[in-house]
Amino acid sequence: MPDTAVNPTHGVEFTLPDDPRVTPLVRRLSTEYWEIVRSRAIRSGVPIVAAWMDIYVDREGATLFFVAVHCDLTQQESRKFKHGLGSATQAWFEGLTSAEREVAALIPFTVVGLKRDVAQVNGT
């Protein structure tokens, strides 16, 4: 895992778009989810370098609020980190009202590893 001495996560701000579709409820839920991800990253030494939300409207007209969390990890390490969030995010989700759950389901978080995996680069 990454070196905790060089962890930029403390200073990373979660950027939300200035868009009327980002309602106070979307803002609150995405910020709560972000705080779960951020605090787990700080505790485990995962270096998050950026986090932001993009809005996407699918073919059926549903608005989705995608959150990208870029980490200084390999893809394998980022998948492991995302998997490790499961119990904390599940407990948070279960504590929401049914209306809040419906909105939270429209806010997927993606953890992206920015480092190249040396084994993939070398073909081993």
Side-chain angles (χ1 to χ4, degrees):
M1 271 304 193
D3 181 0
T4 59
V6 211
N7 189 343
T9 302
H10 288 284
V12 173
E13 291 187 27
F14 175 44
T15 307
L16 294 163
D18 184 19
D19 188 299
R21 295 172 291 184
V22 180
T23 65
L25 181 58
V26 169
R27 182 175 300 279
R28 180 177 64 82
L29 293 173
S30 61
T31 301
E32 286 176 4
Y33 197 147
W34 159 247
E35 284 304 322
I36 293 168
V37 173
R38 182 180 168 281
S39 65
R40 182 65 57 99
I42 289 170
R43 283 195 312 270
S44 61
V46 168
I48 294 175
V49 295
W52 70 92
M53 175 187 284
D54 275 331
I55 300 172
Y56 174 76
V57 179
D58 71 11
R59 291 182 186 181
E60 289 78 36
T63 301
L64 302 171
F65 304 92
F66 285 100
V67 176
V69 179
H70 283 196
C71 300
D72 194 18
L73 301 172
T74 65
Q75 289 181 10
Q76 183 178 9
E77 290 170 331
S78 66
R79 280 191 300 269
K80 184 177 178 182
F81 173 68
K82 173 76 173 175
H83 180 72
L85 295 169
S87 61
T89 56
Q90 185 65 31
W92 168 76
F93 189 78
E94 289 174 0
L96 300 175
T97 66
S98 61
E100 290 170 331
R101 286 181 189 174
E102 286 181 30
V103 174
L106 301 173
I107 311 171
F109 269 63
T110 302
V111 178
V112 180
L114 300 176
K115 279 187 173 179
R116 292 183 113 175
D117 187 347
V118 176
Q120 289 178 346
V121 173
N122 294 332
T124 56

